[in-house]
Amino acid sequence: MALKIYVTDDEQNIRDMIATFLIHEGFEAITFENGDQLIACCDTSLPDLVILDIIMPGTNGLDICARLRKTAPSLPIIIVSAKDGPYDRVQGFTCGSDDYLIKPFLPEELIARVKALLRRSRIEIAANQSKELLSFGGLALNPQMRSATLNGSPLTLTPTEFDFLSYMIQNSGRAVSRDELLRELWQIHTDIDTRVADDLVKRLRKKLRNFNSSLFIETVWGYGFRLVEGDIEH
């Protein structure tokens, strides 16, 4: 059965273009002209992935993304938007998107990101069936259930946040470069957009602070990040 992808954009030519490329790659594509239609459909049947614009009639894409993330924490979400400022990207990741692609874009790049996100989700689920709990500094990740707790309290994570913390725990004895994160988590083999890792880390640091956690994602300047525990200046 084909994987089902919901595409939401107020411009019909963009919806049709994305749907055409998805269908060509063997996906089932269902399109919506605004986020409210998307939410109504998701209440009945969740897709395997959502592609979401920001500026649309009715409820904007950021609010739609946040609502989807609350009701479907593990649903992969890609924001596709003409809003290309650094703060726009931060907002996109903060509201819960797993990826952020700026218009105009090559359809082939979008398809590559869709496949990477779906592949990572499937590989993680399959590979983690027999894995034990991952833990570090009060953080506990259950790979099989895709659930997390911090100091014994439930911690809500997006799929990419979960994968990032899993990878950092498994490599907690060393610093992990931005290039490695892009390659292993986002399947991006280029340094064009290393900010995607920085945006994700900022979002996770805020979540950790909300729990008064001693766990911290330390920046290794000019290189990447290290997962540490202790009294770190946040």
Side-chain angles (χ1 to χ4, degrees):
M1 181 180 296
L3 296 178
K4 182 167 57 178
I5 298 178
Y6 289 170
V7 180
T8 309
D9 197 295
D10 63 330
E11 297 184 48
Q12 183 173 352
N13 63 324
I14 294 179
R15 292 198 307 271
D16 292 345
M17 179 268 292
I18 294 175
T20 297
F21 275 83
L22 288 172
I23 293 170
H24 182 265
E25 293 296 324
F27 298 106
E28 177 186 358
I30 301 175
T31 62
F32 307 90
E33 64 182 17
N34 61 64
D36 297 305
Q37 293 177 352
L38 169 67
I39 287 292
C41 193
C42 284
D43 288 341
T44 302
S45 175
L46 282 175
D48 295 288
L49 183 142
V50 166
I51 297 173
L52 181 64
D53 189 18
I54 292 180
I55 303 175
M56 298 180 293
T59 309
N60 70 61
L62 294 177
D63 290 338
I64 293 295
C65 182
R67 288 173 61 180
L68 287 173
R69 185 55 66 214
K70 288 182 180 179
T71 58
S74 62
L75 176 64
I77 302 172
I78 299 177
I79 286 181
V80 175
S81 176
K83 295 170 70 64
D84 61 353
Y87 183 68
D88 297 317
R89 297 169 52 81
V90 170
Q91 279 190 307
F93 285 113
T94 299
C95 74
S97 70
D98 296 291
D99 204 348
Y100 192 110
L101 187 59
I102 296 171
K103 298 178 181 178
F105 57 87
L106 290 174
E108 292 84 358
E109 181 180 5
L110 175 59
I111 296 300
R113 294 190 182 217
V114 166
K115 288 182 176 180
L117 188 53
L118 289 171
R119 180 171 60 249
R120 187 169 74 244
S121 178
R122 292 197 303 272
I123 290 175
E124 286 290 327
I125 292 173
N128 288 326
Q129 291 301 313
S130 61
K131 285 186 178 179
E132 297 179 354
L133 195 72
L134 296 172
S135 61
F136 186 89
L139 174 65
L141 304 180
N142 186 321
Q144 184 173 355
M145 300 299 296
R146 301 286 292 180
S147 62
T149 60
L150 185 56
N151 298 329
S153 298
L155 175 65
T156 300
L157 298 172
T158 69
T160 305
E161 290 171 348
F162 188 96
D163 293 340
F164 174 86
L165 288 174
S166 296
Y167 195 80
M168 295 302 293
I169 290 176
Q170 293 172 31
N171 294 274
S172 57
R174 65 181 182 90
V176 179
S177 72
R178 289 177 174 84
D179 288 342
E180 181 178 347
L181 289 169
L182 289 173
R183 184 174 64 253
E184 297 297 328
L185 299 184
W186 284 273
Q187 307 295 316
I188 299 174
H189 297 266
T190 175
D191 60 359
I192 291 176
D193 201 1
T194 58
R195 290 179 303 176
V196 65
D198 296 82
D199 292 342
L200 182 141
V201 167
K202 288 179 183 177
R203 186 168 76 241
L204 279 172
R205 282 175 177 164
K206 181 178 179 181
K207 289 188 176 183
L208 295 176
R209 286 197 302 270
N210 289 341
F211 278 76
N212 295 317
S213 173
S214 62
L215 189 67
F216 186 65
I217 304 168
E218 179 184 34
T219 297
V220 180
W221 296 109
Y223 184 74
F225 306 98
R226 179 188 294 115
L227 196 61
V228 296
E229 183 185 12
D231 296 326
I232 302 293
E233 288 296 327
H234 294 209

